[in-house]
Amino acid sequence: MGQPVASRGRAATPTLGKAMLNKYARAFFTRVLTPFAAFLIRRGVSPDTVTLLGTAGVMAGALVFYPRGELFWGTIVITLFVFSDLVDGNMARQLGRSSRWGAFLDSTLDRVADSAIFGGFALWYAGGGDDNVLCAVSIFCLASGQVVSYTKARGESIGLPVAVNGLVERAERLVISLVAAGLAGFHKTFGVPGIEILLPIALWIVAVGSVVTLIQRVVTVRRESAEADAAAEDSPSAAASPDNASQSSEATP
C-alpha cells in the first residue's frame, strides 16, 4: 500500500525528496515497527497475510467512512493500515525472503487500495456530497492513476527502463489526497469552517498532475523505444561490416 519495498522484490527509483523521506522517516518507522514485525513472525503470520489485511483495512476506511462524509476518520483508518506496507517488508527482511510473488502481490493490491480511496470520494460526491463534477473528477483520478501505473509496467515489460520521475506519481497522489481529505474532515467532525474546500482542490491537482505524468511517461517510452529499435537495427549491420570481418580474419590463427 505504500512505496515499493526492495525486500519483497521490487526496485524503486525515487526522486531526491523521496530518497530523503526513505532515508529518515522510513528508517525511523522501521526501527519502531521491527519488534512488532518480529512478534507477528513468532505468531506464525506471513508477510502476505499482513499485505492482505492492510489492503482490507484501507478499503474499509475508504468505502465505509468516505461515502458517509466521514473524511477525517476514514483518513485515520487508512493511514493506520498504510503502515502495513512497512511491516510486511520488515517481516520479509527478517525472514530473508525476496520473492517475485511478494512483489506482484504488493503491486496488485496497491492498485486495489488506490481504487478504493478514489472510489470512496466518488461515492461521497455522488451521494451526500451532491457534486456530480467532483464525482467525475474522482473517477478520473481513479482511472488515470491506473493508466499511469500501467504505462510504466507495460514499458518495463517490453524491456524499457521508463526512466522518468513524473510530476504526480503514486506517492504524491496519495499524500495530496489523504492529507486534504483528513483536513477537510475537520469541517464535519470538529466544525472547522471553510476547510472542506481542500479536498476538491486536491482532486483537481491530482487529476491535472496525472495527465501531465501520463504524457511524460508516454513521451519517455516513445523516446526509449526509438533508441532501442535504432540500436537493434545497428547491431546486425555493425557485426557484418567489412571492418569487423577483416578484424575477425586477422584474429584467426
Side-chain angles (χ1 to χ4, degrees), residues 85-242:
D85 184 65
L86 295 176
V87 175
D88 63 14
N90 193 306
M91 292 172 67
R93 284 191 295 275
Q94 292 190 45
L95 291 169
R97 296 177 184 173
S98 178
S99 67
R100 291 182 175 86
W101 164 248
F104 171 81
L105 184 65
D106 273 356
S107 181
T108 300
L109 294 184
D110 281 348
R111 306 287 84 76
V112 174
D114 293 357
S115 298
I117 291 170
F118 289 104
F121 293 148
L123 289 173
W124 162 240
Y125 285 117
D130 193 23
D131 193 318
N132 289 335
V133 173
L134 288 176
C135 175
V137 174
S138 299
I139 294 173
F140 179 82
C141 290
L142 188 161
S144 60
Q146 304 303 312
V147 175
V148 166
S149 297
Y150 174 79
T151 55
K152 185 174 181 64
R154 185 69 180 106
E156 291 175 342
S157 74
I158 58 176
L160 301 176
V162 196
V164 58
N165 291 315
L167 178 65
V168 177
E169 297 186 338
R170 182 174 186 263
E172 289 81 9
R173 290 197 304 271
L174 290 182
V175 170
I176 292 171
S177 302
L178 292 177
V179 170
L183 292 175
F186 276 56
H187 174 69
K188 181 175 181 178
T189 305
F190 304 108
V192 179
I195 201 168
E196 69 275 11
I197 192 64
L198 289 178
L199 181 56
I201 292 173
L203 290 174
W204 278 108
I205 290 174
V206 171
V208 174
S210 296
V211 172
V212 173
T213 303
L214 178 59
I215 293 172
Q216 289 176 306
R217 288 192 173 179
V218 169
V219 170
T220 299
V221 169
R222 186 177 188 278
R223 174 179 53 79
E224 291 177 349
S225 61
E227 292 172 353
D229 290 343
E233 291 176 358
D234 291 343
S235 180
S237 60
S241 65

Side-chain angles (χ1 to χ4, degrees), residues 49-111:
T49 299
V50 174
T51 302
L52 290 166
L53 290 176
T55 303
V58 170
M59 293 179 65
L63 298 178
V64 173
F65 290 92
Y66 282 171
R68 298 186 299 173
E70 299 289 348
L71 301 176
F72 175 77
W73 292 114
T75 301
I76 292 297
V77 172
I78 290 170
T79 302
L80 290 175
F81 279 97
V82 160
F83 282 104
S84 66
D85 184 65
L86 295 176
V87 175
D88 63 14
N90 193 306
M91 292 172 67
R93 284 191 295 275
Q94 292 190 45
L95 291 169
R97 296 177 184 173
S98 178
S99 67
R100 291 182 175 86
W101 164 248
F104 171 81
L105 184 65
D106 273 356
S107 181
T108 300
L109 294 184
D110 281 348
R111 306 287 84 76

Side-chain angles (χ1 to χ4, degrees), residues 38-54:
F39 169 77
L40 293 177
I41 292 173
R42 289 195 299 271
R43 301 297 296 179
V45 180
S46 71
D48 290 347
T49 299
V50 174
T51 302
L52 290 166
L53 290 176

